[in-house]
């Protein structure tokens, strides 16, 4: 079991460039989440998905898009990167069951936008 | 609206000292869940514990113990006989019942000095 994996681990973009972050999980979890972590601000939810083909906005969705075409994958896209999107991005997954709803996190992607 | 507060930004202790990390979750909900995660310098997020709002029994796991007091909305985490390897950022993350989403605190950075 690899758990939750994220690709890539590091990326540097120029302002205006686009990119996609890939999250994959092999735990057959229904729910998947994308967070960003900035210094002194904890983790903030960007978008999440409650199942294949569904997505919803979190706390800070502006500037990002997501897709969940397959149950095991959750993609986060930046169409036109801005320096304010410099951050560490974490993906997580969980089951929607009380008692089994712990979120398991990927190792993170460090993104720098110049 | 719910609010989670980790008032201690950074704590430094000498190895073998006991240390308590504070978390206060203000909410009108009667049912919710509380999670603690550890983020070591390597950056990954490690799940430590999950508790529900009905259970005010202290829980002990090795050198770790958790104390939840619903009357004061506090969910505190104590490390006994701290070790250098405990140095990390610790996040409290309440989850309102049925949402399967977390509200992350801003974290407490613990430094354990040899």
């Amino acid at each position: 079991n690899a758990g939750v994996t994220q690709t890539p681990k590091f990326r540097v973009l120029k302002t205006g460039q686009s990119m996609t972050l890939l999250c994959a999980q092999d735990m057959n979890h229904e729910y998947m989440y994308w967070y960003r972590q900035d210094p002194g601000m904890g983790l903030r939810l960007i978008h999440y998905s409650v199942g294949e083909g569904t997505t919803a906005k979190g706390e800070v969705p502006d500037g990002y898009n997501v897709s969940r075409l397959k149950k095991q994958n959750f993609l986060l896209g930046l169409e036109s990167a801005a320096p304010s999107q410099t951050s560490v991005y974490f993906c997580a997954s969980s089951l929607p069951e009380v008692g089994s709803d712990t979120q398991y996190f990927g190792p993170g992607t460090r993104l720098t936008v110049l | 609206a719910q609010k989670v507060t980790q008032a201690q930004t950074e704590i430094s202790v000498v190895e073998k000292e006991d240390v308590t990390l504070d978390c206060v979750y203000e909410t009108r909900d009667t049912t919710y869940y509380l999670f603690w995660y550890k983020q070591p310098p390597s950056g990954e997020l490690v799940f430590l514990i999950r508790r529900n709002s009905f259970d005010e029994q202290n829980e002990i796991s090795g050198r770790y113990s958790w104390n939840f007091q619903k009357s004061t909305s506090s969910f505190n985490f104590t490390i006994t006989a701290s070790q250098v390897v405990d140095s990390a950022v610790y996040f409290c993350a309440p989850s309102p019942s049925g949402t399967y989403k977390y509200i992350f605190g801003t974290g407490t950075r613990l430094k354990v000095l040899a």
Side-chain angles (χ1 to χ4, degrees):
Chain A
N1 260 2
V4 180
T5 58
Q6 293 182 232
T7 309
K9 289 185 170 50
F10 303 94
R11 187 70 186 270
V12 178
L13 290 178
K14 294 181 180 178
T15 297
Q17 287 185 321
S18 63
M19 79 162 294
T20 300
L21 280 65
L22 171 63
C23 176
Q25 53 94 5
D26 61 2
M27 297 177 282
N28 202 34
H29 284 172
E30 286 293 332
Y31 282 33
M32 295 186 75
Y33 312 81
W34 275 108
Y35 293 89
R36 60 178 288 172
Q37 183 179 26
D38 302 298
M41 299 190 73
L43 276 78
R44 293 181 293 168
L45 184 64
I46 305 172
H47 285 281
Y48 65 101
S49 168
V50 301
E52 183 179 320
T54 71
T55 62
K57 294 180 180 179
E59 181 186 354
V60 288
D62 294 341
Y64 305 95
N65 56 74
V66 288
S67 64
R68 183 106 179 263
L69 298 179
K70 293 182 179 180
K71 184 177 183 177
Q72 63 268 33
N73 295 339
F74 194 28
L75 278 63
L76 178 71
L78 287 72
E79 289 187 348
S80 179
S84 61
Q85 294 177 304
T86 293
S87 190
V88 180
Y89 291 85
F90 286 96
C91 176
S93 70
S94 74
L95 287 170
E97 295 174 11
V98 174
S100 299
D101 52 351
T102 299
Q103 291 185 21
Y104 294 93
F105 285 82
T109 295
R110 185 174 294 276
L111 174 65
T112 301
V113 183
L114 303 175
Chain B
Q2 302 100 342
K3 182 181 177 184
V4 55
T5 303
Q6 292 185 259
Q8 303 151 307
T9 304
E10 185 167 312
I11 301 174
S12 291
V13 299
V14 176
E15 205 170 18
K16 297 184 183 177
E17 283 186 3
D18 298 347
V19 58
T20 295
L21 310 181
D22 300 329
C23 174
V24 175
Y25 178 48
E26 298 172 61
T27 180
R28 292 183 178 181
D29 296 336
T30 56
T31 303
Y32 49 89
Y33 304 94
L34 295 151
F35 298 81
W36 277 91
Y37 284 81
K38 172 183 179 180
Q39 187 175 41
S42 51
E44 73 273 24
L45 283 151
V46 179
F47 166 69
L48 294 177
I49 191 171
R50 174 191 185 277
R51 300 302 302 276
N52 69 56
S53 56
F54 290 101
D55 188 354
E56 292 191 72
Q57 277 192 325
N58 287 353
E59 179 154 342
I60 299 174
S61 175
R63 296 185 297 108
Y64 296 167
S65 62
W66 290 269
N67 175 261
F68 174 48
Q69 293 185 332
K70 198 166 184 177
S71 60
T72 56
S73 303
S74 65
F75 184 41
N76 299 332
F77 171 36
T78 298
I79 302 175
T80 303
S82 59
Q83 300 176 1
V84 172
V85 293
D86 295 326
S87 297
V89 179
Y90 291 85
F91 290 98
C92 166
S95 177
S97 176
T99 67
Y100 304 105
K101 291 190 286 184
Y102 292 174
I103 307 168
F104 274 90
T106 52
T108 297
R109 181 177 300 277
L110 173 65
K111 292 185 178 179
V112 181
L113 308 172

